[in-house]
Amino acid sequence: MDLETFTPGSGRLEPRAALRSDAPALDLNGTWRFRLSPTADVPADFADPGYDDSSWDDLPVPAHWVLHGHGAPAYTNVRYPIPVDPPHVPNENPTGDHRRVFDLPDGWTGGRLRFEGSDSFTRVWLNGHELGFSTGSRLPVEYDAGPHLRPGRNVLAVRVHQWSAATYLEDQDMWWLPGIFRDVTLTRSSADVFVHAAYQDGRGRLSFDGSGTLSVPELGVTGLRPGEEVTLDVEPWTAETPRLYDAELTLPEETVRLRVGFRTISIEDGVLLANGRPLLLKGVNRHEFHPEHGRAVPYETMREDVLLMKRHNVNAVRTSHYPPHPAFLDLCDELGLWVIDECDLETHGFGEVGWRGNPTDDPRYADALLDRMRRMVERDKNHPSVIMWSLGNEAGVGRNLAVMADWTRERDPSRPLHYEGDRSCAHTDVYSRMYATHAEVEAIGRGEEDPLDDAELDARRRRMPFLQCEYAHAMGNGPGGLAEYQELFERYPRLAGGFVWEWIDHGLVHPELGYAYGGDYGEPLHDGNFVIDGLVFPDRTPSPGLLDLKKVFEPVRFAFGDGFVRVVNGHGFADLSHLEFVATVTVEGATVAEHRLEVPAAGGECKLPDLTGGPDGERWLTVRAVLAGDLPWAPAGHEVAWGQTRLAGPATPSRGPAGPAFVRDGGELTAGGCAFDAATGRLTRLFGLDVEGPRLDLWRAPTDNDRYGGLEGRWRALGLHRLTHRVDDVATGDGLTVRTRVAPAATDLGMWATYRWTFDGGLRLELDIEPDGEWPDPIPAIGVTMSLPGDAVERVTWFGQGPGEAYQDTGLATRIGRWSATVEELQIPYVMPQENGRRAGVRWADLGAFRVSGEPEYGLSVRRWSTDELAEARHLPDLVPGERVHLHLDLAQQGIGTATCGPGPLPVYDLMARPATLRLRFDPS
Ligand code: IPT
């Protein structure tokens, strides 16, 4: 059966550049007729123009049929959802037949049918004539429609099989989503051109391959012929300064409009350079994803992605793991992002069978692999934003890589080659790894990586720049460790930066579950929520991870000294003239003064005005760099970077006179609206409110990183989610002292916890804890938990880090201030519920009913569900507000890290069991 052919296609025209031409084109997107069959073995009679499709359904094109009520999506990461048996596929092979009737405008002759992307094996008929078939889902294909077009009514019939021999080349970690998911057009354009626009030694060089003549009016270039080169005074293109020049290619039959950006990528002394200057990639991996449309991403959404990236100081994208919709690259040219364009190739699932039969090393697949590379390079070769070609992702090693690389070097020597899957780098120009630890990255930065067995390859690799094509796995709460990676990237010239995994959570909108992930459609084989690992939530709301990344990627840094601030320009290419600098002085988070700073365009030391005056209290200076005027990607006033420094420490906490001892009242000990059970020492009333706790808590709802890193398993084995509490002693005197031992069942490990309560108008707690026994692992948290009636807290106002969540190694985006949020707003809606929403560095928090102050500070979480309920929940709708509101006041929590893929928290962020004291004070509001 031809589905099992190794041939990538038939009847197709030579690949060419994606171009904007004035040649007539007919948009064939829209409503098509559609029928789904469970197997491939269905008569092809529907291709007949006279076929009656009135019993079929309507389906929009572009779309994935599984997102329109036909079949269902399925998610696997590495594993193939079909047996690993190339080139064969199961008989169960969802097959979508599509029909579209269109009228040809009068006088129209000739043309090409162009499909920008169809997943996966696509056969095309026009008016009953088979034009051919194609594979390579995320790549364009064109057929010559001319001979079969008719005046008036035409019928296009397209059959798409989900599985074919080509499926083995498309094992990317994402939903399996068949369908014609990108645009379909009938175009009379046939132009191709390869523009070469270099920038060297301060000047531009322009030439092109193809036919016709090229003009760039703004540069006075007219009538340039193929092969001719001109040297010009130009402004270079960079992602920071995406200068484009409008150009026109004039051909006998059509005129093509191009936007030319002059730039040169090179590697010198193991350093990646753009226009002769070091290039530091502050990147993200972007899959194409929309929560309702899958990979049929609307143009506005692509644009939103680029805008969001730019606004979060991202300067680079790896198009993981296939070429994106061509319009995305236009946006990268226009708004400025460096792009690694990656071929539509992944054979990861062969790893499950020891890489036996890997297509990457199977000569029968050589044509298909080369075909994919050619179609990508030809389509995208004119984009200044595209600075590297990537052969693919996780496709193992094998001789077909050489075939792809050799052809590409010949065709386009101007762009370095990338491929991570072959550690020897035999076919690449850069050394790339994924999820390497900080220590390994540092070793590579120093040129001290472990040698390869082959001395020649080793020497070659040692001369290469290094990048992490994936790092900091943004799954769930996290990633931690960002700042330390960035610090390394900036310290060692060999390190060209990297790309965080990944841009977006691939959660599909689901009527009951909120957002669906693997398994939610009943897939027999799936990888759960591993597809929910993005920096933005499915609706593209930035997650705390993206806010942290923005901070870490800031292109301006502030170093504060006595009476001055040093402003460091961290841009690679731009100066600071597009920014304004605002200094704000706050006391306890309230603004007391604001000044505009004069900062030289090159950066430098800047004297600060007198920052004293106003009330006493904790005083901070915040300096913000904001856009001075509107830019195409953000309006004036948009904050690009900030720094903060403490000018004066907190005022000494006010304490009332040592209060009277607690008064015994029946079975209670009371003071000012607060009461304890005299027998157990438990707090039962807090300023009139019925409370449970506070009592020692070591647990948190495990994060994805806790789970995949193995900590959750060890914590549960130890029983940290089911602590028991034993009161050993309740003593009154100046105050109330309650000695306890807190421990899980079935172990001799435990914690001594001593609560010392005093009252001076406010209620003070000093909780001493001391481990009993040798605790081997980090623990989730050290803190107390208490609960109150649900209506006691609606809104929390606090002075501390905010506005977002923060853990030991995250929350870099938070700053000291006074913040306010409702209980609902304090929750971070991770698609897979888990520990979230902790506010750090809290000096005081006003909960409405009372106020809790730290001595000096604490971590605060407020929820309408318990930790157990949070840990049990699988989707957001599982979290139902209960009758109580739960407060968690902690001294510290375990770091977050990125162990879902990569290292756990760095050792300094491990929370080891140790003697500690938590001091809190409760006052009526
Ligand atoms: C890495 C893949 O390249 C990427 O597509 C994604 O699956 C990521 O893992 C996990 O989310 S490969 C892995 C073996 C490190």
Side-chain angles (χ1 to χ4, degrees):
M1 199 153 85
D2 61 4
L3 283 179
E4 299 185 341
T5 176
F6 292 98
T7 311
S10 72
R12 304 169 309 163
L13 294 166
E14 284 296 301
R16 64 184 182 112
L19 294 170
R20 275 173 304 161
S21 165
D22 68 352
L26 212 56
D27 177 359
L28 296 177
N29 292 345
T31 306
W32 291 42
R33 302 292 288 162
F34 179 77
R35 168 186 74 183
L36 181 65
S37 306
T39 67
D41 192 14
V42 200
D45 52 355
F46 77 104
D48 188 314
Y51 181 86
D52 176 10
D53 63 16
S54 58
S55 64
W56 291 20
D57 285 325
D58 280 348
L59 182 77
V61 168
H64 304 281
W65 66 69
V66 289
L67 300 182
H68 290 268
H70 304 276
Y75 166 61
T76 60
N77 173 2
V78 173
R79 299 174 295 176
Y80 286 100
I82 59 171
V84 182
D85 182 21
H88 308 293
V89 295
N91 289 345
E92 298 89 348
N93 189 355
T95 292
D97 290 331
H98 303 66
R99 293 183 98 243
R100 169 74 146 94
V101 177
F102 63 94
D103 281 324
L104 208 59
D106 286 345
W108 183 294
T109 53
R112 298 167 166 228
L113 264 172
R114 183 175 174 97
F115 293 78
E116 296 292 347
S118 178
D119 190 335
S120 152
F121 183 107
T122 307
R123 249 171 107 180
V124 180
W125 293 263
L126 180 62
N127 298 323
H129 301 275
E130 181 166 353
L131 299 182
F133 78 88
S134 187
T135 58
S137 301
R138 273 68 66 169
L139 288 161
V141 58
E142 285 182 340
Y143 302 98
D144 184 7
H148 309 294
L149 284 169
R150 299 171 180 167
R153 182 180 188 267
N154 284 263
V155 182
L156 183 58
V158 183
R159 168 164 286 183
V160 181
H161 303 286
Q162 184 160 11
W163 312 127
S164 72
T167 300
Y168 292 99
L169 310 180
E170 299 183 355
D171 188 29
Q172 290 93 341
D173 174 7
M174 59 192 191
W175 292 101
W176 295 94
L177 296 175
I180 306 172
F181 73 100
R182 286 185 191 160
D183 316 285
V184 184
T185 40
L186 176 67
T187 172
R188 280 174 41 196
S189 171
S190 60
D192 192 13
V193 62
F194 191 174
V195 176
H196 309 286
Y199 187 82
Q200 263 166 345
D201 305 321
R203 305 202 71 196
R205 288 208 326 259
L206 179 68
S207 66
F208 74 100
D209 300 331
S211 57
T213 56
L214 188 73
S215 63
V216 188
E218 198 184 340
L219 295 171
V221 176
T222 50
L224 191 70
R225 301 196 166 276
E228 276 176 14
E229 185 178 275
V230 282
T231 303
L232 302 158
D233 285 323
V234 298
E235 292 169 49
W237 187 97
T238 73
E240 291 168 9
T241 54
R243 178 67 159 98
L244 293 171
Y245 293 89
D246 287 325
E248 243 178 44
L249 179 74
T250 311
L251 294 156
E253 304 285 321
E254 60 185 298
T255 301
V256 167
R257 280 179 303 127
L258 294 149
R259 287 186 301 177
V260 176
F262 293 85
R263 58 115 194 86
T264 291
I265 303 300
S266 60
I267 294 168
E268 275 167 46
D269 299 327
V271 180
L272 182 68
L273 305 176
N275 305 334
R277 294 207 209 170
L279 175 52
L280 189 60
L281 300 168
K282 299 175 174 175
V284 295
N285 280 279
R286 176 180 180 270
H287 266 288
E288 294 189 304
F289 186 75
H290 184 283
E292 287 162 72
H293 308 300
R295 286 187 289 278
V297 177
Y299 179 77
E300 276 317 310
T301 307
M302 297 180 210
R303 192 177 169 84
E304 193 183 340
D305 275 351
V306 176
L307 293 179
L308 273 170
M309 288 175 192
K310 294 288 289 183
R311 289 173 187 166
H312 290 87
N313 296 330
V314 168
N315 75 3
V317 185
R318 172 177 178 234
T319 68
S320 54
H321 302 298
Y322 42 82
H325 189 286
F328 179 77
L329 297 177
D330 291 333
L331 290 164
C332 293
D333 290 346
E334 177 191 318
L335 296 164
L337 287 171
W338 307 104
V339 177
I340 297 186
D341 199 0
E342 189 150 271
C343 193
D344 191 0
L345 172 65
E346 174 155 346
T347 65
H348 210 162
F350 284 84
E352 304 287 297
V353 297
W355 294 102
R356 283 189 302 279
N358 183 13
T360 308
D361 197 37
D362 181 341
R364 295 173 299 172
Y365 272 110
D367 281 354
L369 268 59
L370 178 58
D371 174 73
R372 283 164 188 253
M373 198 67 192
R374 283 187 62 206
R375 283 157 70 196
M376 172 175 75
V377 171
E378 296 300 350
R379 192 193 75 167
D380 297 339
K381 62 199 171 206
N382 294 313
H383 289 283
S385 57
V386 174
I387 56 159
M388 268 186 225
W389 302 118
S390 175
L391 304 181
N393 182 60
E394 293 284 9
V397 293
R399 58 199 115 164
N400 296 336
L401 294 174
V403 176
M404 299 168 87
D406 291 350
W407 178 87
T408 310
R409 282 187 205 292
E410 171 93 34
R411 180 66 177 134
D412 180 18
S414 78
R415 291 178 174 98
L417 296 188
H418 169 273
Y419 175 62
E420 192 272 348
D422 178 0
R423 295 284 162 87
S424 78
C425 296
H427 309 294
T428 66
D429 301 302
V430 294
Y431 180 20
S432 176
R433 293 266 290 113
M434 44 172 86
Y435 309 106
T437 60
H438 298 84
E440 185 179 359
V441 171
E442 173 146 33
I444 297 170
R446 291 173 184 274
E448 293 169 2
E449 66 269 28
D450 291 342
L452 291 166
D453 292 341
D454 181 314
E456 210 172 302
L457 285 174
D458 184 64
R460 193 172 162 273
R461 198 179 70 176
R462 251 168 237 285
R463 292 193 298 271
M464 291 179 178
F466 174 82
L467 58 91
Q468 285 238 77
C469 66
E470 295 177 24
Y471 76 106
H473 197 250
M475 184 172 177
N477 187 333
L482 286 173
E484 292 82 0
Y485 277 119
Q486 193 62 26
E487 201 268 317
L488 294 171
F489 296 155
E490 292 179 15
R491 179 143 35 110
Y492 296 101
R494 186 189 188 189
L495 306 182
F499 298 80
V500 167
W501 187 266
E502 71 173 302
W503 176 244
I504 188 166
D505 286 344
H506 309 206
L508 287 168
V509 167
H510 188 286
E512 287 90 40
L513 302 175
Y515 290 114
Y517 48 77
D520 289 338
Y521 299 98
E523 307 103 287
L525 185 73
H526 66 82
D527 290 298
N529 66 322
F530 226 70
V531 78
I532 307 292
D533 54 0
L535 291 166
V536 295
F537 295 116
D539 67 357
R540 288 184 159 73
T541 306
S543 79
L546 182 60
L547 303 181
D548 276 8
L549 193 66
K550 175 182 181 184
K551 179 73 186 140
V552 166
F553 280 173
E554 282 181 347
V556 184
R557 298 274 155 80
F558 302 96
F560 294 95
D562 196 8
F564 69 88
V565 56
R566 182 170 309 112
V567 182
V568 181
N569 179 16
H571 291 89
F573 306 89
D575 65 18
L576 302 180
S577 53
H578 61 297
L579 297 170
E580 257 170 24
F581 294 82
V582 189
T584 310
V585 182
T586 55
V587 174
E588 288 235 353
T591 300
V592 298
E594 195 163 283
H595 309 270
R596 186 130 305 188
L597 302 180
E598 287 310 320
V599 176
E605 212 164 276
C606 177
K607 200 170 150 357
L608 291 169
D610 179 13
L611 301 172
T612 56
D616 281 349
E618 196 172 326
R619 176 179 293 256
W620 284 77
L621 169 66
T622 308
V623 178
R624 305 162 59 237
V626 302
L627 291 184
D630 292 345
L631 285 182
W633 49 268
H638 164 81
E639 185 180 286
V640 170
W642 60 273
Q644 237 187 1
T645 189
R646 178 157 39 192
L647 299 172
T652 3
S654 60
R655 271 184 206 155
F662 295 103
V663 180
R664 186 175 280 273
D665 182 359
E668 287 190 328
L669 297 168
T670 64
C674 302
F676 293 86
D677 180 309
T680 62
R682 268 191 317 117
L683 181 69
T684 53
R685 261 195 334 276
L686 182 61
F687 309 116
L689 282 176
D690 131 56
V691 298
E692 281 165 33
R695 62 179 196 172
L696 180 67
D697 193 356
L698 307 176
W699 188 230
R700 72 175 177 199
T703 64
D704 289 322
N705 287 310
D706 293 337
R707 175 163 317 139
Y708 285 90
L711 275 176
E712 176 183 7
R714 299 209 288 280
W715 290 341
R716 286 192 186 274
L718 187 59
L720 295 183
H721 57 306
R722 45 169 172 77
L723 297 178
T724 66
H725 299 253
R726 183 186 80 214
V727 176
D728 287 341
D729 186 34
V730 178
T732 50
D734 283 354
L736 169 69
T737 301
V738 184
R739 290 180 207 284
T740 71
R741 188 175 185 279
V742 179
T747 174
D748 58 357
L749 297 181
M751 293 280 184
W752 299 111
T754 303
Y755 303 74
R756 287 177 225 284
W757 293 99
T758 49
F759 188 81
D760 63 3
L763 189 60
R764 292 185 67 224
L765 168 64
E766 196 167 296
L767 170 62
D768 285 325
I769 67 158
E770 196 176 327
D772 185 7
E774 293 294 318
W775 289 66
D777 290 313
I779 53 177
I782 298 177
V784 293
T785 290
M786 59 195 291
S787 79
L788 318 163
D791 59 7
V793 188
E794 293 300 336
R795 173 173 285 282
V796 181
T797 301
W798 75 99
F799 175 47
Q801 284 170 243
E805 69 179 17
Y807 296 81
Q808 309 308 96
D809 55 344
T810 67
L812 309 158
T814 62
R815 59 189 94 181
I816 301 295
R818 190 181 299 205
W819 312 102
S820 182
T822 63
V823 175
E824 288 63 37
E825 289 164 352
L826 288 171
Q827 317 308 313
I828 310 296
Y830 292 112
V831 169
M832 164 71 137
Q834 53 195 280
E835 164 61 37
N836 75 85
R838 172 181 187 261
R839 295 327 193 258
V842 177
R843 280 74 166 152
W844 55 256
D846 191 335
L847 299 158
F850 57 89
R851 180 175 157 122
V852 190
S853 312
E855 297 185 346
E857 48 185 69
Y858 62 97
L860 172 68
S861 318
V862 186
R863 308 192 173 104
R864 299 208 181 274
W865 34 82
S866 68
T867 303
D868 287 346
E869 286 163 336
L870 182 58
E872 282 302 304
R874 287 292 166 265
H875 295 89
L876 283 166
D878 296 341
L879 293 170
V880 181
E883 289 187 349
R884 307 284 290 176
V885 59
H886 303 260
L887 303 190
H888 306 275
L889 313 166
D890 71 49
L891 200 57
Q893 282 203 28
Q894 165 65 0
I896 297 292
T898 176
T900 43
C901 230
L906 287 164
V908 300
Y909 303 121
D910 276 340
L911 178 61
M912 304 310 290
R914 58 178 158 82
T917 304
L918 173 65
R919 291 186 187 84
L920 296 171
R921 180 189 169 88
F922 300 83
D923 288 289
S925 275

